[in-house]
Amino acid sequence: MRIILSPAKKMQINVEEPYQELPVFMEQTEEIMEWMKSLSYEEAKKLWACNDQIAEQNYERFAHMNLYSNLTPAILSYEGIAYQYMAPSVFEFGEFDYVQEHLRILSAFYGVVKPMDGVTPYRLEMQARARIAGYKNLYDYWGDRLYREVVDDSHVIINLASKEYSRCIEKYLTKEDRYITCIFGEYADAEKRKVVQKGVYAKMARGEMVRFMAEHNVLEPDELKSFNRLGYGFDEEKSSDAEFVFIKN
């Protein structure tokens, strides 16, 4: 079983914690890095769609980037909300083993990252219109490589990624795959007809779900149904084979 999760825009460096390996798609990452370095400041800022402070920081990062030194384990480098609630800094040894085996972080820059792979801070979103090596965007650039790297012999994939990143996998699913998206929402109306996800709360729950799975060594999809953290509970009626819906009380 594999779990997919989005990366985070905010990243930190922590060279005190050793990484295990380099990400698997380093050749492609080097190509993307060189393309990013070829951009002018204004071109990079437009690609990132951010303010001057963030653009200046990341333009400087790419200008001096080294993919092979001062690396941080990915799970400790990403600082977004999902990673805060996952709280890997207080994982016990067996929980690190679990995520290293089952969790895969999807990345526009690195492709697929295992939790203990060494990464350097970068800024690049999958939906960015990066025209690299003749491709019109990063979805086309990566193609089916991310799916092939993620799927294992079980062909079970638990989707905790945003639509921006899960799209990289969904396009290439086969009939052999069991692909389950976890929805963390609340009812939009008194009649409980419509379930809505709110971005921040969904990110919190995705991180908490990874932590739950690691703590309980979850190996079968049905074990997810007992998730009851942050006020969420599994809704059998709203769920299906392809979507597990958790409603916030």
Side-chain angles (χ1 to χ4, degrees), residues 9 13 18 36 38 42 82 95 113 135 155 194 225 229:
K9 293 178 185 177
I13 296 173
M36 290 296 302
S38 74
E42 290 301 327
E95 291 159 8
V113 182
Y135 293 95
H155 285 270
K194 185 178 180 181
K225 296 177 181 180
R229 300 182 179 182

Side-chain angles (χ1 to χ4, degrees), residues 23-39 47 62 65-68 108-111 124 130-138 140-143 145:
V24 67
F25 293 118
M26 290 302 293
E27 181 179 343
Q28 288 76 24
T29 300
E30 288 181 358
E31 186 173 35
I32 295 171
M33 179 184 70
E34 292 304 321
W35 184 83
M36 290 296 302
K37 286 184 175 184
S38 74
L39 300 180
L47 186 76
F62 272 108
M65 184 172 285
N66 186 326
L67 298 174
Y68 300 96
F109 188 53
Y110 284 104
L124 186 64
R131 298 182 180 274
I132 301 168
Y135 293 95
K136 65 180 181 179
N137 56 43
L138 287 164
D140 288 351
Y141 177 82
W142 285 111
R145 280 180 287 212

Side-chain angles (χ1 to χ4, degrees), residues 151-246:
V151 72
D152 66 2
D153 291 341
S154 75
H155 285 270
V156 175
I157 301 173
I158 306 300
N159 174 28
L160 295 176
S162 66
K163 290 182 179 180
E164 176 186 356
Y165 286 92
S166 61
R167 175 181 164 188
C168 302
I169 305 299
E170 290 169 356
K171 184 177 179 180
Y172 303 100
L173 293 171
T174 70
K175 293 179 180 179
E176 195 177 356
D177 299 318
R178 185 178 182 195
Y179 183 79
I180 302 169
T181 297
C182 291
I183 305 294
F184 301 97
E186 53 191 78
Y187 291 119
D189 50 53
E191 291 77 23
K192 299 182 178 181
R193 292 175 182 168
K194 185 178 180 181
V195 175
V196 295
Q197 281 197 111
K198 296 184 178 178
V200 172
Y201 295 120
K203 290 176 182 178
M204 291 162 55
R206 288 167 185 155
E208 194 73 48
M209 176 63 90
V210 174
R211 183 170 187 82
F212 169 84
M213 295 175 76
E215 288 178 354
H216 294 274
N217 191 35
V218 171
L219 300 176
E220 297 294 335
D222 281 352
E223 295 177 67
L224 298 177
K225 296 177 181 180
S226 61
F227 177 79
N228 60 355
R229 300 182 179 182
L230 303 178
Y232 288 97
F234 180 71
D235 190 311
E236 187 81 45
E237 184 178 342
K238 296 289 184 183
S239 298
S240 66
D241 287 342
E243 284 190 349
F244 283 7
V245 179
F246 299 86

